[in-house]
PDB file of all heavy atoms in Angstrom:
ATOM      1  N   GLU A   1      93.679 103.611  85.848  1.00 97.00           N
ATOM      2  CA  GLU A   1      93.138 104.946  86.074  1.00 97.00           C
ATOM      3  C   GLU A   1      92.566 105.059  87.480  1.00 97.00           C
ATOM      4  O   GLU A   1      92.133 104.069  88.078  1.00 97.00           O
ATOM      5  CB  GLU A   1      92.017 105.269  85.062  1.00 97.00           C
ATOM      6  CG  GLU A   1      92.477 105.369  83.620  1.00 97.00           C
ATOM      7  CD  GLU A   1      91.362 105.841  82.693  1.00 97.00           C
ATOM      8  OE1 GLU A   1      90.213 105.972  83.161  1.00 97.00           O
ATOM      9  OE2 GLU A   1      91.648 106.094  81.510  1.00 97.00           O
ATOM     10  N   VAL A   2      92.556 106.288  87.991  1.00 98.00           N
ATOM     11  CA  VAL A   2      91.865 106.588  89.237  1.00 98.00           C
ATOM     12  C   VAL A   2      91.277 107.996  89.131  1.00 98.00           C
ATOM     13  O   VAL A   2      91.947 108.932  88.677  1.00 98.00           O
ATOM     14  CB  VAL A   2      92.797 106.462  90.460  1.00 98.00           C
ATOM     15  CG1 VAL A   2      94.009 107.352  90.329  1.00 98.00           C
ATOM     16  CG2 VAL A   2      92.042 106.766  91.742  1.00 98.00           C
ATOM     17  N   ASP A   3      90.015 108.137  89.515  1.00 98.00           N
ATOM     18  CA  ASP A   3      89.344 109.439  89.532  1.00 98.00           C
ATOM     19  C   ASP A   3      89.528 110.091  90.897  1.00 98.00           C
ATOM     20  O   ASP A   3      89.407 109.417  91.941  1.00 98.00           O
ATOM     21  CB  ASP A   3      87.846 109.286  89.249  1.00 98.00           C
ATOM     22  CG  ASP A   3      87.574 108.715  87.870  1.00 98.00           C
ATOM     23  OD1 ASP A   3      88.381 108.949  86.959  1.00 98.00           O
ATOM     24  OD2 ASP A   3      86.542 108.026  87.704  1.00 98.00           O
ATOM     25  N   VAL A   4      89.801 111.384  90.892  1.00 98.00           N
ATOM     26  CA  VAL A   4      89.925 112.121  92.144  1.00 98.00           C
ATOM     27  C   VAL A   4      89.122 113.418  92.031  1.00 98.00           C
ATOM     28  O   VAL A   4      88.889 113.932  90.937  1.00 98.00           O
ATOM     29  CB  VAL A   4      91.392 112.438  92.493  1.00 98.00           C
ATOM     30  CG1 VAL A   4      92.199 111.165  92.671  1.00 98.00           C
ATOM     31  CG2 VAL A   4      92.031 113.323  91.440  1.00 98.00           C
ATOM     32  N   THR A   5      88.735 113.942  93.194  1.00 98.00           N
ATOM     33  CA  THR A   5      87.995 115.208  93.264  1.00 98.00           C
ATOM     34  C   THR A   5      88.815 116.220  94.056  1.00 98.00           C
ATOM     35  O   THR A   5      89.286 115.914  95.163  1.00 98.00           O
ATOM     36  CB  THR A   5      86.628 115.016  93.945  1.00 98.00           C
ATOM     37  OG1 THR A   5      85.880 114.018  93.244  1.00 98.00           O
ATOM     38  CG2 THR A   5      85.844 116.321  93.947  1.00 98.00           C
ATOM     39  N   VAL A   6      88.988 117.401  93.483  1.00 97.00           N
ATOM     40  CA  VAL A   6      89.712 118.475  94.168  1.00 97.00           C
ATOM     41  C   VAL A   6      88.833 119.026  95.294  1.00 97.00           C
ATOM     42  O   VAL A   6      87.608 119.136  95.151  1.00 97.00           O
ATOM     43  CB  VAL A   6      90.055 119.610  93.179  1.00 97.00           C
ATOM     44  CG1 VAL A   6      90.897 120.678  93.855  1.00 97.00           C
ATOM     45  CG2 VAL A   6      90.770 119.050  91.964  1.00 97.00           C
ATOM     46  N   ALA A   7      89.453 119.368  96.404  1.00 96.00           N
ATOM     47  CA  ALA A   7      88.701 119.956  97.513  1.00 96.00           C
ATOM     48  C   ALA A   7      87.995 121.225  97.057  1.00 96.00           C
ATOM     49  O   ALA A   7      88.551 122.020  96.295  1.00 96.00           O
ATOM     50  CB  ALA A   7      89.643 120.259  98.676  1.00 96.00           C
ATOM     51  N   ALA A   8      86.773 121.407  97.532  1.00 96.00           N
ATOM     52  CA  ALA A   8      85.980 122.567  97.113  1.00 96.00           C
ATOM     53  C   ALA A   8      86.598 123.876  97.576  1.00 96.00           C
ATOM     54  O   ALA A   8      86.362 124.933  96.967  1.00 96.00           O
ATOM     55  CB  ALA A   8      84.555 122.437  97.645  1.00 96.00           C
ATOM     56  N   ASP A   9      87.375 123.820  98.650  1.00 95.00           N
ATOM     57  CA  ASP A   9      87.999 125.045  99.174  1.00 95.00           C
ATOM     58  C   ASP A   9      89.470 125.175  98.783  1.00 95.00           C
ATOM     59  O   ASP A   9      90.206 125.971  99.381  1.00 95.00           O
ATOM     60  CB  ASP A   9      87.856 125.103 100.695  1.00 95.00           C
ATOM     61  CG  ASP A   9      88.528 123.915 101.388  1.00 95.00           C
ATOM     62  OD1 ASP A   9      88.972 122.975 100.675  1.00 95.00           O
ATOM     63  OD2 ASP A   9      88.601 123.909 102.633  1.00 95.00           O
ATOM     64  N   ALA A  10      89.912 124.402  97.776  1.00 95.00           N
ATOM     65  CA  ALA A  10      91.307 124.488  97.347  1.00 95.00           C
ATOM     66  C   ALA A  10      91.615 125.888  96.834  1.00 95.00           C
ATOM     67  O   ALA A  10      90.859 126.459  96.036  1.00 95.00           O
ATOM     68  CB  ALA A  10      91.582 123.448  96.264  1.00 95.00           C
ATOM     69  N   ALA A  11      92.720 126.442  97.278  1.00 94.00           N
ATOM     70  CA  ALA A  11      93.074 127.812  96.916  1.00 94.00           C
ATOM     71  C   ALA A  11      93.695 127.864  95.536  1.00 94.00           C
ATOM     72  O   ALA A  11      94.412 126.945  95.117  1.00 94.00           O
ATOM     73  CB  ALA A  11      94.043 128.378  97.947  1.00 94.00           C
ATOM     74  N   ASP A  12      93.421 128.947  94.808  1.00 92.00           N
ATOM     75  CA  ASP A  12      94.071 129.162  93.520  1.00 92.00           C
ATOM     76  C   ASP A  12      95.589 129.159  93.701  1.00 92.00           C
ATOM     77  O   ASP A  12      96.111 129.723  94.670  1.00 92.00           O
ATOM     78  CB  ASP A  12      93.639 130.498  92.916  1.00 92.00           C
ATOM     79  CG  ASP A  12      92.242 130.434  92.327  1.00 92.00           C
ATOM     80  OD1 ASP A  12      91.644 129.348  92.336  1.00 92.00           O
ATOM     81  OD2 ASP A  12      91.750 131.471  91.852  1.00 92.00           O
ATOM     82  N   GLY A  13      96.280 128.550  92.754  1.00 91.00           N
ATOM     83  CA  GLY A  13      97.725 128.467  92.813  1.00 91.00           C
ATOM     84  C   GLY A  13      98.241 127.236  93.530  1.00 91.00           C
ATOM     85  O   GLY A  13      99.450 126.983  93.524  1.00 91.00           O
ATOM     86  N   THR A  14      97.344 126.461  94.143  1.00 94.00           N
ATOM     87  CA  THR A  14      97.777 125.225  94.801  1.00 94.00           C
ATOM     88  C   THR A  14      98.344 124.259  93.762  1.00 94.00           C
ATOM     89  O   THR A  14      97.755 124.069  92.694  1.00 94.00           O
ATOM     90  CB  THR A  14      96.602 124.560  95.536  1.00 94.00           C
ATOM     91  OG1 THR A  14      96.101 125.451  96.528  1.00 94.00           O
ATOM     92  CG2 THR A  14      97.032 123.256  96.192  1.00 94.00           C
ATOM     93  N   ILE A  15      99.479 123.645  94.061  1.00 93.00           N
ATOM     94  CA  ILE A  15     100.105 122.670  93.169  1.00 93.00           C
ATOM     95  C   ILE A  15      99.820 121.272  93.702  1.00 93.00           C
ATOM     96  O   ILE A  15     100.164 120.948  94.841  1.00 93.00           O
ATOM     97  CB  ILE A  15     101.620 122.904  93.063  1.00 93.00           C
ATOM     98  CG1 ILE A  15     101.902 124.297  92.498  1.00 93.00           C
ATOM     99  CG2 ILE A  15     102.275 121.843  92.193  1.00 93.00           C
ATOM    100  CD1 ILE A  15     103.369 124.671  92.479  1.00 93.00           C
ATOM    101  N   LEU A  16      99.176 120.459  92.893  1.00 96.00           N
ATOM    102  CA  LEU A  16      98.838 119.079  93.247  1.00 96.00           C
ATOM    103  C   LEU A  16      99.841 118.159  92.559  1.00 96.00           C
ATOM    104  O   LEU A  16      99.841 118.038  91.339  1.00 96.00           O
ATOM    105  CB  LEU A  16      97.409 118.742  92.806  1.00 96.00           C
ATOM    106  CG  LEU A  16      96.308 119.683  93.307  1.00 96.00           C
ATOM    107  CD1 LEU A  16      94.966 119.303  92.682  1.00 96.00           C
ATOM    108  CD2 LEU A  16      96.222 119.640  94.834  1.00 96.00           C
ATOM    109  N   SER A  17     100.702 117.507  93.352  1.00 96.00           N
ATOM    110  CA  SER A  17     101.771 116.682  92.799  1.00 96.00           C
ATOM    111  C   SER A  17     101.489 115.208  93.063  1.00 96.00           C
ATOM    112  O   SER A  17     101.219 114.811  94.205  1.00 96.00           O
ATOM    113  CB  SER A  17     103.120 117.059  93.422  1.00 96.00           C
ATOM    114  OG  SER A  17     103.448 118.403  93.132  1.00 96.00           O
ATOM    115  N   ALA A  18     101.563 114.396  92.013  1.00 97.00           N
ATOM    116  CA  ALA A  18     101.359 112.954  92.127  1.00 97.00           C
ATOM    117  C   ALA A  18     102.588 112.233  91.584  1.00 97.00           C
ATOM    118  O   ALA A  18     103.286 112.743  90.703  1.00 97.00           O
ATOM    119  CB  ALA A  18     100.112 112.517  91.365  1.00 97.00           C
ATOM    120  N   ARG A  19     102.842 111.031  92.098  1.00 97.00           N
ATOM    121  CA  ARG A  19     103.989 110.229  91.660  1.00 97.00           C
ATOM    122  C   ARG A  19     103.559 108.762  91.626  1.00 97.00           C
ATOM    123  O   ARG A  19     102.900 108.286  92.557  1.00 97.00           O
ATOM    124  CB  ARG A  19     105.170 110.413  92.611  1.00 97.00           C
ATOM    125  CG  ARG A  19     106.359 109.488  92.344  1.00 97.00           C
ATOM    126  CD  ARG A  19     107.461 109.706  93.379  1.00 97.00           C
ATOM    127  NE  ARG A  19     108.530 108.723  93.278  1.00 97.00           N
ATOM    128  CZ  ARG A  19     109.594 108.862  92.501  1.00 97.00           C
ATOM    129  NH1 ARG A  19     109.727 109.935  91.755  1.00 97.00           N
ATOM    130  NH2 ARG A  19     110.535 107.928  92.460  1.00 97.00           N
ATOM    131  N   VAL A  20     103.956 108.069  90.579  1.00 97.00           N
ATOM    132  CA  VAL A  20     103.702 106.633  90.492  1.00 97.00           C
ATOM    133  C   VAL A  20     105.031 105.905  90.379  1.00 97.00           C
ATOM    134  O   VAL A  20     105.959 106.364  89.706  1.00 97.00           O
ATOM    135  CB  VAL A  20     102.776 106.291  89.305  1.00 97.00           C
ATOM    136  CG1 VAL A  20     103.415 106.617  87.964  1.00 97.00           C
ATOM    137  CG2 VAL A  20     102.359 104.823  89.353  1.00 97.00           C
ATOM    138  N   GLU A  21     105.140 104.780  91.082  1.00 95.00           N
ATOM    139  CA  GLU A  21     106.348 103.967  91.064  1.00 95.00           C
ATOM    140  C   GLU A  21     105.982 102.527  90.726  1.00 95.00           C
ATOM    141  O   GLU A  21     104.885 102.060  91.051  1.00 95.00           O
ATOM    142  CB  GLU A  21     107.043 103.991  92.436  1.00 95.00           C
ATOM    143  CG  GLU A  21     107.515 105.359  92.868  1.00 95.00           C
ATOM    144  CD  GLU A  21     108.137 105.341  94.256  1.00 95.00           C
ATOM    145  OE1 GLU A  21     107.937 104.322  94.973  1.00 95.00           O
ATOM    146  OE2 GLU A  21     108.809 106.319  94.622  1.00 95.00           O
ATOM    147  N   ALA A  22     106.922 101.829  90.104  1.00 94.00           N
ATOM    148  CA  ALA A  22     106.752 100.412  89.808  1.00 94.00           C
ATOM    149  C   ALA A  22     107.928  99.644  90.381  1.00 94.00           C
ATOM    150  O   ALA A  22     109.082 100.060  90.241  1.00 94.00           O
ATOM    151  CB  ALA A  22     106.652 100.176  88.305  1.00 94.00           C
ATOM    152  N   ARG A  23     107.615  98.540  91.039  1.00 92.00           N
ATOM    153  CA  ARG A  23     108.644  97.641  91.549  1.00 92.00           C
ATOM    154  C   ARG A  23     108.360  96.231  91.057  1.00 92.00           C
ATOM    155  O   ARG A  23     107.195  95.806  91.023  1.00 92.00           O
ATOM    156  CB  ARG A  23     108.683  97.656  93.077  1.00 92.00           C
ATOM    157  CG  ARG A  23     109.243  98.942  93.689  1.00 92.00           C
ATOM    158  CD  ARG A  23     109.214  98.874  95.210  1.00 92.00           C
ATOM    159  NE  ARG A  23     109.953  99.963  95.830  1.00 92.00           N
ATOM    160  CZ  ARG A  23     109.460 101.168  96.088  1.00 92.00           C
ATOM    161  NH1 ARG A  23     108.220 101.447  95.743  1.00 92.00           N
ATOM    162  NH2 ARG A  23     110.203 102.087  96.668  1.00 92.00           N
ATOM    163  N   LEU A  24     109.413  95.520  90.715  1.00 89.00           N
ATOM    164  CA  LEU A  24     109.274  94.149  90.249  1.00 89.00           C
ATOM    165  C   LEU A  24     109.396  93.176  91.414  1.00 89.00           C
ATOM    166  O   LEU A  24     110.290  93.328  92.264  1.00 89.00           O
ATOM    167  CB  LEU A  24     110.349  93.822  89.207  1.00 89.00           C
ATOM    168  CG  LEU A  24     110.312  94.662  87.922  1.00 89.00           C
ATOM    169  CD1 LEU A  24     111.465  94.275  87.006  1.00 89.00           C
ATOM    170  CD2 LEU A  24     108.983  94.474  87.200  1.00 89.00           C
ATOM    171  N   ALA A  25     108.511  92.190  91.432  1.00 78.00           N
ATOM    172  CA  ALA A  25     108.572  91.095  92.403  1.00 78.00           C
ATOM    173  C   ALA A  25     108.705  91.601  93.842  1.00 78.00           C
ATOM    174  O   ALA A  25     109.408  90.999  94.654  1.00 78.00           O
ATOM    175  CB  ALA A  25     109.720  90.151  92.056  1.00 78.00           C
ATOM    176  N   GLY A  26     108.042  92.715  94.135  1.00 67.00           N
ATOM    177  CA  GLY A  26     108.036  93.219  95.502  1.00 67.00           C
ATOM    178  C   GLY A  26     109.364  93.731  95.992  1.00 67.00           C
ATOM    179  O   GLY A  26     109.591  93.879  97.199  1.00 67.00           O
ATOM    180  N   GLY A  27     110.306  94.030  95.097  1.00 72.00           N
ATOM    181  CA  GLY A  27     111.633  94.488  95.497  1.00 72.00           C
ATOM    182  C   GLY A  27     111.602  95.878  96.096  1.00 72.00           C
ATOM    183  O   GLY A  27     110.618  96.612  95.998  1.00 72.00           O
TER     184      GLY A  27
END
């Protein structure tokens, strides 16, 4: 898990996109 805080001035309708990837043995 990781906690994040949205910017106080973030505009309505802003899309916050996150992506996680996994790699084996540093490939």
Side-chain angles (χ1 to χ4, degrees):
E1 294 186 354
V2 57
D3 298 330
V4 299
T5 303
V6 184
D9 60 352
D12 284 357
T14 300
I15 299 174
L16 306 175
S17 298
R19 173 182 172 89
V20 64
E21 298 177 345
R23 289 179 170 86
L24 298 178

